[in-house]
Structures are given as structure tokens and as C-alpha cells.
Amino acid sequence: MARLQLKNVNKRWGSFVGVDNFDLDIADQEFLVLLGPSGCGKSTTMRMIAGLEDVTDGEILFDGKVVNDLEPKDRDISMVFQSYGLYPNLTVYENIRFPLKVRKVPKEKHDDMVMNAVRMTELEDFMHRRPADLSGGQRQRVALGRAIVRKPTVFLMDEPLSNLDAKLRVSTRAQIKNLQSKLKTTTVYVTHDQIEAMTLADRVVVMNAGKIQQVGTPTDIYDTPANTFVASFIGSPAMNLVEGLLKDGVFEGENIRVEGLPTGPSGNITLGFRAEDAEIVDGAGQIEAPMYSIELLGEASMITWRLGGALVSIKTNKEYRAEIGDVVRARIPAEICHLFDTATGERVAL
């Protein structure tokens, strides 16, 4: 059982700010994902939780107790790294057992604890192999087994799927989700992959340049992004963002015109909409422009235009056919549009 709190946590190296005023309450048993591009501060935040990095300012609390000065070994955490971190000379069984030996767990308990972790990570057939004889996915499962064997109060996972191919990422992602639901252990997971964040998290913390951009459920962040950074980072493809002028509820940009928008805001506005929320039409539409590209995705086709400086995409049925350069029209319902202040990038309150 563990509730984590980060109160106004900062990390600086000289004049460089790695994490800026990070303030967050992580509930017991929650699966929280820190999401953002490389260098945004997410791994540094995790390392401060683990005790591998000192906090410049602020407090980190485990169940109400400040742990800033506690050594990593005294925080009752387990970490899973991108690099697996397995001992090459030890078998799978011995790699998973190793944390029990280090923490001086009575030997008579080792076998039951190791075998429980082996079963949960489906490694029964590989117990006597060494890491060199395993696939990437199997090595990551060993790392997971080693993390869960002693039942810590907090799991910290730093980009654990980055070294796996696409197919293995999907299967291992499902296994991590299943394990966490069974173990009910507070988990903080770092990734730059928004699909991992959306599929795994109870809540997502989107970070950029050391700052929290938005905190919410995957649905909240997908449906109501707080700013253009979040809108452009979440979704596959990301939200379309087109700059233009809004006046009296009418948005106009290059080859795009959307009527029926709220009449309150006006001026330079960035219009956002999701590729799956608009549709290709034969008659008049809100977009009318030469097609820039067409891509078959399998279950759908992706149509892309260049509108001013932005590439704008819409999904349509997989049977759709057109040639690059053909004028293609699309309908964008006003009610599915998002409005952002072009100057600040912040969502416009309606």
C-alpha cells in the first residue's frame, strides 16, 4: 500500500531546470504514466522518486512520510529499466531470486516467492536459461519477475518496452497491465509512446520542458487537451491544428472555412479536430483543396492536405480512391472542433 505525493518538486543543475515545480498526488494502487518527449523531465522525476537523484527543492512523500533523505534501498521500491539490467552469468531463476538474497529474505521462502513470480510472468519453461539464450521479450519478463518477486510497495518502470519490436511491445504491454491489476501495486511508468500511455494508465501526466502540461485520464486528455502541445502529442495521428482567423463564429484559414463555432472568442485562433471526427464528402465541405497524399492503413485510408503551413489528415474508408493533386473536400462539424489561442497555445474556454 503506497500513496505518493510530490510537493512542488524541482530539479536544477546550475541554471538548467530539469523539473519545474512538479506537484502531484498519486493514489494507492494507481497506474500513473509520465508521458512526454525526450528531455522533458519524466525520467528525472522518476529517479527522484527512486532516490537516484537528489531533489533541489520540494518534498517527496510515501504514505505521508518525507523520503527526500532516504536511500533507494530504504524506499521499498522496485525498478524496471529499458536495458533489462540482468546478470548474464545467472539463470532466469537466480536473476529473479537475487533481490531476495540482497534483502536477506529467509532462504526457506525463496523458492515459493520466485516460483510465484515465474508463474505470473509465464517463465516456467525458461527458468534454467541465461539471458543470452532469451529473446528481448523474455528478458523483459525476467526483469518484471525480479521486480515483483518481493512485493514492493511501489513499481517504477522507465521505458521498459523501448527495446522491443512492435509485436512484442503489444504483448508485453498487455502483460504489464494484467500484472498490475493482479498485484494492485502503485506504479509510476515513464514513456514517450502515447499509445502505451493511453492503453496502460489510470491517469496520464503529460510533460514538456520540465513542466506538467496536463494531468487526467486518457479519455480526458484525448477529448479535451489543455493546449496545442498536448493536442499534438496525443492521438495517432495527432490532432489536426490549423491557424486562422475567428470572427462571429466563423473560422477561416487557407482552403478551410468552418461556420457555427462559438461567437465569444475572436482573433487569431488555432482550430483543432481529430482525423476520425471529420469525413470526406462529394459536395461542398469545410475543406476544399488538392490532396497532398493518400495512405492505406489497412482498416482505413488516410487523406492528407497541406493547408498553409499545416498538414491536415482525415480518415476515410479503405476503398476510397483519388490521385495526388485531385481536389478533395471534407466536412468538419463545428461541434467536434477545438479552439486554442494561437499566441499562447492554451485551450480557449467556451
Side-chain angles (χ1 to χ4, degrees):
M1 303 287 284
R3 174 193 178 198
L4 303 185
Q5 294 168 281
L6 289 85
K7 294 186 175 181
N8 307 116
V9 170
N10 294 275
K11 179 63 181 180
R12 294 188 296 272
W13 294 272
S15 61
F16 178 77
V17 179
V19 177
D20 189 0
N21 200 35
F22 193 102
D23 194 72
L24 188 68
D25 196 331
I26 305 170
D28 179 45
Q29 302 184 17
E30 182 174 17
F31 197 123
L32 184 97
V33 174
L34 302 179
L35 173 69
S38 297
C40 73
K42 56 189 187 297
S43 290
T44 301
T45 302
M46 173 173 284
R47 288 174 63 82
M48 288 191 289
I49 294 172
L52 300 174
E53 292 279 1
D54 292 331
V55 174
T56 305
D57 299 303
E59 293 181 329
I60 296 176
L61 298 90
F62 284 28
D63 287 329
K65 178 183 177 183
V66 177
V67 299
N68 289 37
D69 297 327
L70 279 185
E71 295 292 323
K73 64 183 178 62
D74 298 322
R75 299 193 184 195
D76 196 18
I77 58 169
S78 278
M79 289 195 73
V80 181
F81 297 96
Q82 176 182 347
S83 59
Y84 315 137
L86 303 180
Y87 297 102
N89 58 318
L90 300 182
T91 64
V92 167
Y93 183 96
E94 288 298 330
N95 263 287
I96 294 175
R97 182 188 177 207
F98 191 80
L100 305 179
K101 296 169 68 176
V102 169
R103 289 186 171 258
K104 295 181 171 53
V105 175
K107 286 185 178 180
E108 60 270 19
K109 296 183 178 181
H110 287 196
D111 193 60
D112 284 346
M113 295 175 75
V114 172
M115 289 309 300
N116 182 55
V118 164
R119 284 189 291 270
M120 292 189 78
T121 50
E122 301 175 13
L123 288 165
E124 295 97 323
D125 296 335
F126 308 99
M127 285 194 303
H128 303 297
R129 294 189 188 182
R130 286 180 168 77
D133 301 320
L134 302 174
S135 69
Q138 290 161 353
R139 292 178 196 175
Q140 194 55 276
R141 282 154 54 195
V142 177
L144 287 169
R146 187 178 58 189
I148 69 176
V149 67
R150 62 177 184 82
K151 299 180 180 177
T153 56
V154 178
F155 287 137
L156 303 177
M157 301 189 182
D158 193 1
E159 308 234 23
L161 308 185
S162 293
N163 288 341
L164 305 182
D165 62 35
K167 184 177 180 181
L168 277 174
R169 279 202 299 273
V170 172
S171 59
T172 310
R173 192 171 69 215
Q175 188 166 45
I176 289 172
K177 184 75 170 179
N178 182 265
L179 275 173
Q180 201 269 346
S181 70
K182 289 178 179 177
L183 296 167
K184 300 188 184 306
T185 302
T186 306
T187 302
V188 180
Y189 186 107
V190 162
T191 184
H192 63 273
D193 187 324
Q194 57 95 13
I195 294 177
E196 285 180 31
M198 296 291 285
T199 54
L200 288 172
D202 295 322
R203 282 192 304 160
V204 179
V205 179
V206 183
M207 297 183 67
N208 188 39
K211 294 186 177 184
I212 294 176
Q213 301 295 309
Q214 187 172 0
V215 181
T217 67
T219 300
D220 289 340
I221 288 176
Y222 188 84
D223 288 345
T224 54
N227 53 44
T228 51
F229 176 82
V230 176
S232 65
F233 204 80
I234 297 291
S236 183
M239 181 179 286
N240 295 305
L241 297 169
V242 185
E243 294 182 9
L245 188 66
L246 181 64
K247 183 178 180 181
D248 298 328
V250 179
F251 174 88
E252 287 195 81
E254 185 174 322
N255 293 322
I256 180 171
R257 177 184 169 91
V258 181
E259 300 178 358
L261 295 166
T263 56
S266 63
N268 293 324
I269 289 290
T270 298
L271 181 83
F273 62 94
R274 297 281 182 194
E276 63 271 24
D277 291 336
E279 62 178 343
I280 303 298
V281 293
D282 291 329
Q286 281 68 45
I287 293 177
E288 183 173 339
M291 187 175 70
Y292 183 79
S293 73
I294 180 170
E295 303 166 87
L296 179 62
L297 306 179
E299 81 287 359
S301 290
M302 186 82 75
I303 308 300
T304 301
W305 300 263
R306 182 178 286 281
L307 304 182
L311 290 178
V312 172
S313 299
I314 288 177
K315 289 183 178 179
T316 189
N317 66 73
K318 61 184 179 182
E319 289 81 19
Y320 184 83
R321 296 291 180 268
E323 298 294 328
I324 291 176
D326 289 352
V327 173
V328 178
R329 300 170 180 83
R331 186 175 75 88
I332 308 170
E335 60 270 18
I336 59 93
C337 291
H338 306 253
L339 302 179
F340 303 94
D341 185 294
T342 300
T344 65
E346 295 299 308
R347 186 179 190 85
V348 175
L350 302 177

